Amino acid sequence: MFPQVLIAGAGPTGLTLGIELARRGVAIRIVDRVADHFNGSRGDGIQPRTLEVFDDLGVLDAVLTAGEDVAPMKISIDGQIVGERRRTELREPSPATPHPNPWVLGQSQVERILRERLAELGVKVELSTAVAGLEQDADGVTVTLHKPGGTETVRADYLVGADGGASTVRKAVGIAFEGVTDESLRMLIGDVRADVLDHAYGYWFARGEAPTEGIALTPLPGDRLFQFSGPLNEEHPTREIMQAALDHYSGRTDIVLGEPVWASAWRPNIRLAQRFRSGRVFLAGDAAHAHPPTGGQGMNTGVQDAYNLGWKLAAALDGRAELLDTYDTERRAVAARVLGLSTDLLDRQVAGDESAMRRDADTFGLNISYRSGDVAGALVAGDRAPDSVLRAADGSTVRLFDLFRGPHATLLTFDAPAEPAAEGVRGYAIVSPDRTPAAGEFLAVDGHAFADYAASPGTRILVRPDGYLAWRRED
């Protein structure tokens, strides 16, 4: 098959991009150098904005069914439970934000759900297939792939490197990966059983002389595994090493760990690609930015890279290549800001600052905006489009997110007839609560849509396919 887009890397970023393109009818191939799919928790925190992306991609129900809320954490000092806390306070859903809280699901389970959705769209991940080299010209990219059957040369309109921090694609196009790797600080992360512990809770074990240094065990959904994390310097972690550390920090001998299902030694690797594009080659996810795990930002930022890039690649293939110029501008700025956030959390954790254990709305992804620096207003071009509850003429209830779902852009007209929509755009009229909606119109229940969009009669708003405002106009 001649792919229009070749995706290197089948983690959450590459899979999200694959779904975005495949549902738009773009011919793709997605390859990964690994021989088998990843099996571990790694990035297990799904932020609220990512849940909204998964809603649009058609995988939210599966993610919610397989996952669970962030568990409260029991604090144990010198072997005694001294309190309980949550990293984030639970927030009630609202019409504008139906998924206000982070969700927990191991990365391998997220990837499985995304692969199944991609398979529904007719695309299968090609394993043991690695990018070995590439050349590009004005019309496309020629990529050399190494695979079990030998070498293959592939021609594609575009190539996306979603192939991780050691990205072959990034190196091949000579993009610098600027930042630092701190070899002095290491942490071990792994998935283990600890059956004596109540799986409904997470646990923080520490000693009284250093209460912010210790071992965390957080429950993973789907079985009785906990994610173990702690300051260990071992390059090759074993159960015995993890057990000894837990015994030391917990002051207990009754917590017996099982053999780790997955474990990895981690060191702070904080890097940002100098640019996210080189001609017809793009970088996304860990290939473009490497985060410390503090704040749970890495996987989520990669998913949103793909969500931003997918519709723009499809538009470029349909003759609107100028949109691709905005990918680097929008996503690199976001990645830089998120790197600053997660690095600050890491610094506070290393310094023993108790505030490093807490998370606030800055980590949720809901306040990300692509607005221009000189644009002001309550809700302007570049901002996230809120959800809202609507009622149709037949009395049925729908949400704005229901109208947004799919590969199209959406034109909203408030208290005025819906305008004829251009190709690839669906238009809807939203009417205020003191009016009765006609066929094809939607009533703004309790006026929330008008308030959340700062809309007045005649306001028109175009919502991009990725759920951000493209423009707004007032009569």
Side-chain angles (χ1 to χ4, degrees), residues 382-448:
D383 289 349
R384 166 189 169 270
D387 194 8
S388 199
V389 181
L390 308 174
R391 185 168 294 121
D394 64 4
S396 61
T397 298
V398 298
R399 305 190 69 95
L400 270 176
F401 280 6
D402 295 330
L403 304 184
F404 296 165
R405 190 178 299 110
H408 57 273
T410 306
L411 178 60
L412 303 178
T413 303
F414 291 82
D415 265 348
E419 292 189 0
E423 184 178 355
V425 180
R426 295 182 184 176
Y428 301 98
I430 312 297
V431 301
S432 52
D434 57 355
R435 291 182 52 191
T436 300
E441 295 183 334
F442 294 91
L443 181 142
V445 174
D446 296 326
H448 287 299

Side-chain angles (χ1 to χ4, degrees), residues 77-428:
I77 305 296
D78 292 330
Q80 299 296 318
I81 301 295
V82 299
E84 184 179 311
R85 69 169 53 164
R86 287 185 177 273
R87 287 193 170 184
T88 60
E89 293 300 321
L90 292 178
R91 303 189 302 170
E92 289 297 319
S94 70
T97 308
H99 309 292
N101 300 302
W103 196 246
V104 177
L105 186 62
Q107 182 172 321
S108 60
Q109 293 170 283
V110 172
E111 291 179 3
R112 174 186 55 78
I113 291 169
L114 293 173
R115 282 196 305 272
E116 290 172 354
R117 175 68 176 126
L118 189 59
E120 290 174 359
L121 296 167
V123 180
K124 184 177 179 180
V125 175
E126 301 174 44
L127 297 175
S128 300
T129 304
V131 172
L134 64 95
E135 293 181 359
Q136 62 172 313
D137 53 46
D139 299 317
V141 188
T142 302
V143 184
T144 301
L145 298 176
H146 281 177
K147 50 197 304 185
T151 299
E152 179 187 3
T153 300
V154 177
R155 181 73 173 172
D157 292 285
Y158 297 99
L159 168 66
V160 179
D163 50 343
S167 172
T168 301
V169 173
R170 186 189 65 243
K171 294 172 183 175
V173 293
I175 296 178
F177 206 29
E178 299 170 338
V180 297
T181 300
D182 186 353
E183 296 289 350
S184 67
L185 176 63
R186 295 194 181 187
M187 180 175 288
L188 184 141
I189 301 176
D191 300 345
V192 295
R193 289 185 65 131
D195 289 347
V196 73
L197 298 177
D198 186 345
H199 199 256
Y201 293 90
Y203 297 84
W204 174 256
F205 296 108
R207 307 297 292 265
E209 63 268 22
T212 60
E213 176 187 327
I215 298 292
L217 288 172
T218 54
L220 296 168
D223 48 35
R224 289 197 54 82
L225 289 174
F226 288 84
Q227 186 184 80
F228 174 110
S229 61
L232 300 180
N233 290 322
E234 303 295 333
E235 187 68 33
H236 303 289
T238 64
R239 192 203 71 83
E240 289 73 22
I241 290 170
M242 299 164 74
Q243 184 72 60
L246 179 61
D247 292 347
H248 169 74
Y249 285 107
S250 70
R252 295 169 56 173
T253 58
D254 62 318
I255 308 173
V256 179
L257 299 179
E259 286 293 330
V261 173
W262 165 80
S264 176
W266 169 86
R267 60 188 61 74
N269 190 28
I270 304 165
R271 296 182 180 274
L272 181 65
Q274 193 176 63
R275 59 189 189 279
F276 285 13
R277 179 186 186 183
S278 174
R280 288 177 170 267
V281 179
F282 295 82
L283 302 178
D286 289 352
H289 40 80
H291 301 253
T294 41
Q297 298 298 296
M299 181 188 74
N300 292 275
T301 306
V303 165
Q304 292 175 56
D305 288 345
Y307 195 53
N308 182 289
L309 180 59
W311 71 276
K312 295 175 180 178
L313 281 171
L317 290 164
D318 201 31
R320 299 171 59 201
E322 69 279 0
L323 279 171
L324 291 175
D325 294 335
T326 66
Y327 172 68
D328 180 272
T329 304
E330 292 184 344
R331 291 308 302 168
R332 193 175 185 280
V334 169
R337 189 162 62 249
V338 172
L339 273 174
L341 171 67
S342 52
T343 302
D344 175 64
L345 286 170
L346 176 64
D347 290 343
R348 281 190 270 158
Q349 182 172 316
V350 171
D353 186 337
E354 187 178 347
S355 68
M357 304 291 287
R358 295 191 291 271
R359 302 290 180 263
D360 58 27
D362 286 341
T363 65
F364 292 173
L366 296 170
N367 57 5
I368 289 172
S369 176
Y370 302 130
R371 66 167 63 186
S372 301
D374 59 348
V375 174
L379 192 71
V380 300
D383 289 349
R384 166 189 169 270
D387 194 8
S388 199
V389 181
L390 308 174
R391 185 168 294 121
D394 64 4
S396 61
T397 298
V398 298
R399 305 190 69 95
L400 270 176
F401 280 6
D402 295 330
L403 304 184
F404 296 165
R405 190 178 299 110
H408 57 273
T410 306
L411 178 60
L412 303 178
T413 303
F414 291 82
D415 265 348
E419 292 189 0
E423 184 178 355
V425 180
R426 295 182 184 176
Y428 301 98

Side-chain angles (χ1 to χ4, degrees), residues 1-5 17-28 121 123 310 314 317 407:
M1 181 183 72
F2 179 87
Q4 293 170 287
V5 179
L17 180 60
I19 294 169
E20 273 288 88
L21 293 169
R23 70 176 180 162
R24 289 175 165 82
V26 176
I28 68 168
L121 296 167
V123 180
L317 290 164

